[in-house]
Structures are given as C-alpha cells and as structure tokens.
C-alpha cells in the first residue's frame, strides 16, 4: 500500500449500525413515496388517456412557443 492509502485507512472502522439506519430509513421512506407517486401517475395516464391526448399537443406547442420567445 502507498503512504496515502495507509494514512486514509488508519482511523476508518466502517459504517456503524447507527450510520446505516440514519441513511437506510429515509431511503426506504423516499423509495416508498416515489413508488406510490409513480403508481398514481401511471393510473392517471392510463385512465385519462383521451384527455391527455387531447390537450397535450396544444400544451407542448404553447411551451415551445414560450421558450422560443425568450431567446
């Protein structure tokens, strides 16, 4: 090992249980919330597909025109 690796590894003992829980619990919560929101969005898209198709093209054209107008 080089001197740098020896210096960096000397005081490192690895993550503790507290560290793992501090990172893991919020990650599980955010994953569950994200999954729920994706399911809700999927349901909205599949149920109201006709309405989305009707207004989506006009919305995209308006956003494109607004963006072109800012340059």
């Amino acid at each position: 090992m080089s001197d740098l690796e020896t210096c960096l590894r000397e005081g490192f003992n690895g993550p503790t249980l507290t560290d793992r829980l501090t990172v893991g619990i919020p990650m599980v919560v955010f994953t569950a919330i994200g999954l729920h929101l994706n399911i809700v969005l999927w349901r909205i898209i599949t149920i109201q597909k006709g309405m989305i198709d009707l207004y989506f093209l006009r919305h995209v054209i308006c956003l494109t025109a607004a963006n072109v107008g800012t340059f």
Side-chain angles (χ1 to χ4, degrees):
M1 266 197 277
S2 69
D3 293 334
L4 178 61
E5 289 176 349
T6 305
C7 178
L8 291 175
R9 289 179 180 234
E10 192 155 325
F12 183 70
N13 295 327
T16 62
L17 179 63
T18 306
D19 294 335
R20 291 175 188 256
L21 290 176
T22 303
V23 172
I25 291 174
M27 189 179 297
V28 167
V29 170
F30 290 141
T31 301
I33 291 171
L35 178 63
H36 179 71
L37 290 176
N38 283 330
I39 290 171
V40 168
L41 181 62
W42 173 74
R43 295 280 297 171
I44 289 171
I45 289 172
T46 56
I47 290 173
Q48 299 186 1
K49 186 168 177 51
M51 184 184 298
I52 290 172
D53 289 341
L54 181 63
Y55 294 108
F56 184 70
L57 180 62
R58 186 179 66 174
H59 183 69
V60 169
I61 290 172
C62 289
L63 285 175
T64 304
N67 189 26
V68 169
T70 59
F71 288 116

